[in-house]
Amino acid sequence: MGSKTWKRFVGWALLGLLLTWGVSCASPTTDQSDRRQVEFWTMQLQPQFNDYFNQLIATFENDHPEVKIRWVDVPWSAMESKILAAVSAQTAPDLVNLNPDFASMLAGRDAWLNLDEHLSEEVRSLYLPNIWEANMIQTCDGDNCQNRTFGIPWYLTTQIVIYNQNLLNQAGIENPPTTYQELATVAQTIRQRTGKYALFVSFVPTDSAQVLQSLVQMGVQLVDNNRKAAFNTPEGRAAFQYWVDLYQQDLLPREVLTQGHRRAIELYQAGEIALLTTGPQFFRAIAENAPDIAKVSAPSSAITGENGKISVAVMNLVIPQNTRHPEDAINFALFVTNSPNQLNFAKASNVIPSSIQALENPFFQNIPADATPQDKARKISAQQMPNAQVLIPPLEDIKELQTIIYNNLQAAMLNQKTVDQAILDAETAWNRRLN
């Protein structure tokens, strides 16, 4: 769910007890103390999906009576610090739900099991190839570089646009923009005719990667094969200039320099911006938090550049190096991400599966005549998958690159630097880190 829209995701104790009782009855000869325990961490999936996971775990344990799954759900905001501390202390769980951006940081420190040593090509072929690649990182020993797999893909969301039909109508705009070129025109029209803004996109270095993704969509290569800066090009300067122009022409709120993506959500729900770049699942949150805005909201395809690339947010499963039960963790990860289970979870959560077979299900291709905005958003999201990819390279220090680029973009937006100087300074700062 991109990068941070997934934060919105009662214990069912009786159900859990019943399921546990059912498992023990199904395998009466298994001594509970002899069962191998696999600790499984997810990110902010309780209590909404308690029923789903309790049943999933019970089914797996019934088929593997020698294994006990201990499910721990961690708040989104706490996951990074918790897993960092656990990996450092060698007390990490056996299986962890992360995203490739953060997981790749630790993959560069050899924190995760190298899955290429455990999984066959036949297994890999069950998942969308462009999504599998998001779970690979290049490691180099001198001039000897190779790619290795550190995670198994799970669920996905492609970016879509949720738009306020009333604001577009007031501005005389028939259709929401689908390209950055159209967006610039729409932003100007909305500002002139309604006094409001088309969108909010954060330039806070530690927040959303949306601007970094937009550079790639505008044809910019961020780094080359040697990890050196590759963005000081005509395409890179044009992309820098695009955002500088929008800001200096008062087509972006001033607070884009100081507020994160959460502010975009607040402004959209308050009816102050016309477009919100997010995932399909966010319709539910709008309906709960701003029902009047939800009534005039509709989905549209993602905004992209001439290359047509669409950003996809990936959730994966990674296995720490120091797990005591690698094969059990792998078996459970493959069970969680198999086609039937991915399809069931996608239906429950309005996300997209990474399984090829699950994505081909009619649930993602056909929608009813009286389709809800969520139904329409799901179809749009699925249709975008052929052009969807993780746009940010899996570098262990990718956040440092984002910080360098955003800081220099901000300086250009505030007229503290020219665009040429800003992009040169960003290039120099990044390459200096490699020396």
Side-chain angles (χ1 to χ4, degrees), residues 403-418:
T403 297
I404 289 169
I405 288 178
Y406 281 31
N407 282 340
N408 281 282
L409 253 176
Q410 284 205 22
M413 294 161 80
L414 293 170
N415 268 327
Q416 297 169 350
K417 296 181 181 182
T418 65

Side-chain angles (χ1 to χ4, degrees), residues 119-130 132 152-153 334 337 339 354-358 360:
L119 302 178
S120 67
E121 275 298 323
E122 182 181 4
V123 169
R124 293 164 62 115
S125 69
L126 300 175
Y127 301 84
L128 294 163
N130 53 332
W132 188 275
I152 297 173
L334 294 177
T337 62
S339 179
S354 62
S355 157
I356 295 173
Q357 184 180 354
E360 292 173 348

Side-chain angles (χ1 to χ4, degrees), residues 342-401:
Q342 284 215 43
L343 179 60
N344 289 337
F345 186 65
K347 288 181 176 180
S349 58
N350 205 34
V351 296
I352 301 296
S354 62
S355 157
I356 295 173
Q357 184 180 354
L359 187 59
E360 292 173 348
N361 189 277
F363 177 73
F364 301 102
Q365 314 302 327
N366 307 320
I367 56 175
D370 59 346
T372 65
Q374 260 188 232
D375 291 331
K376 295 175 182 177
R378 180 179 68 247
K379 183 176 181 180
I380 291 170
S381 189
Q383 287 175 333
Q384 293 180 154
M385 282 309 303
N387 293 322
Q389 58 185 275
V390 175
L391 300 178
I392 308 303
L395 301 173
E396 60 179 292
D397 43 3
I398 187 63
K399 287 298 182 183
E400 291 296 327
L401 178 61

Side-chain angles (χ1 to χ4, degrees), residues 293-369:
I293 297 297
K295 291 175 184 176
V296 298
S297 293
S300 179
S301 57
I303 295 170
T304 186
E306 292 183 4
N307 58 25
K309 291 181 178 180
I310 302 293
S311 176
V312 60
V314 178
M315 282 303 227
N316 61 15
L317 297 175
V318 297
I319 300 166
Q321 281 278 18
N322 63 344
T323 174
R324 292 178 302 164
H325 309 297
E327 294 306 319
D328 292 328
I330 290 171
N331 287 339
F332 185 60
L334 294 177
F335 178 74
V336 172
T337 62
N338 71 25
S339 179
N341 288 330
Q342 284 215 43
L343 179 60
N344 289 337
F345 186 65
K347 288 181 176 180
S349 58
N350 205 34
V351 296
I352 301 296
S354 62
S355 157
I356 295 173
Q357 184 180 354
L359 187 59
E360 292 173 348
N361 189 277
F363 177 73
F364 301 102
Q365 314 302 327
N366 307 320
I367 56 175

